[in-house]
Amino acid sequence: MVKIERKVFKRPWGFDAFFGEMFKSFSRVYVAEVEGKIAGYIVLWILPPEGYIANVAVSPDYQGKGVGKALLKKAISVCEEEGVNSICLEVRRSNQTAISLYKKFGFEVVGIRKAMYHDGEDGLVMEKLL
Ligand SMILES: CC(C)(COP(=O)(O)OP(=O)(O)OC[C@H]1O[C@@H](n2cnc3c(N)ncnc32)[C@H](O)[C@@H]1OP(=O)(O)O)[C@@H](O)C(=O)NCCC(=O)NCCS
């Protein structure tokens, strides 16, 4: 997961960040495996009444093959099972691939966080009501 982080993000989570998730009672981490290799993962926080997607990424080797969709589908079904009534996340304004994926699953832009990223880019807050 750390290897994938380094390939896809400017400020990747390190080992400690993933390890720390194991000690948060509200955190759920799901990994997508393809041919025995980690192709992607999603980090979901269950904070009733809300779910929050803290991280999601797919290895460049496996992008565009439906892994992101499968991860999002899993996160949404867990949120439904756990009885939360909305899911939110933040995404870079320029990340059209991710924005298009989220829209496909019914997420809508509900806010803008000005210059939330270290390089000054705005973050879009997206939410899906369940
Ligand atoms: C965003 C990301 C998770 C999508 O995962 P993926 O496995 O590549 O996505 P999928 O193959 O499941 O495609 C799902 C949808 O994403 C969009 N998408 C995928 N590749 C795309 C591309 N190259 N250009 C535009 N949209 C694209 C499409 O809407 C696609 O739906 P479609 O197949 O019906 O057209 C992945 O690209 C990634 O890890 N990016 C880098 C990390 C990142 O940006 N994470 C999100 C941070 S908020």
Side-chain angles (χ1 to χ4, degrees):
M1 287 157 79
V2 173
K3 279 187 196 159
I4 295 174
E5 280 284 307
R6 290 188 182 140
K7 286 183 193 165
V8 301
F9 291 122
K10 292 181 188 163
R11 287 262 170 123
W13 282 25
F15 176 84
D16 290 350
F18 285 106
F19 191 66
E21 292 303 306
M22 295 203 308
F23 303 97
K24 294 175 184 164
S25 59
F26 53 83
S27 178
R28 317 275 184 274
V29 181
Y30 299 99
V31 163
E33 260 187 39
V34 178
E35 293 155 352
K37 287 190 184 150
I38 294 181
Y41 46 84
I42 192 160
V43 179
L44 171 69
W45 292 352
I46 301 291
L47 302 163
E50 256 188 37
Y52 176 71
I53 295 176
N55 197 348
V56 55
V58 173
S59 164
D61 300 340
Y62 295 99
Q63 285 179 10
K65 296 182 162 73
V67 175
K69 275 188 199 163
L71 287 165
L72 219 53
K73 210 171 150 190
K74 173 70 183 173
I76 292 166
S77 85
V78 170
C79 283
E80 284 167 349
E81 280 162 26
E82 302 232 21
V84 301
N85 54 31
S86 68
I87 314 176
C88 92
L89 56 83
E90 283 122 10
V91 58
R92 280 179 182 267
R93 197 191 263 276
S94 66
N95 193 345
Q96 284 309 320
T97 304
I99 293 168
S100 142
L101 168 66
Y102 302 141
K103 284 192 171 160
K104 236 157 229 175
F105 280 87
F107 283 81
E108 288 176 11
V109 177
V110 293
I112 297 171
R113 297 204 204 284
K114 283 278 170 204
M116 80 167 270
Y117 295 97
H118 67 283
D119 54 5
E121 185 168 351
D122 295 344
L124 302 184
V125 182
M126 297 186 77
E127 183 185 54
K128 174 183 168 66
L129 300 178
L130 297 174

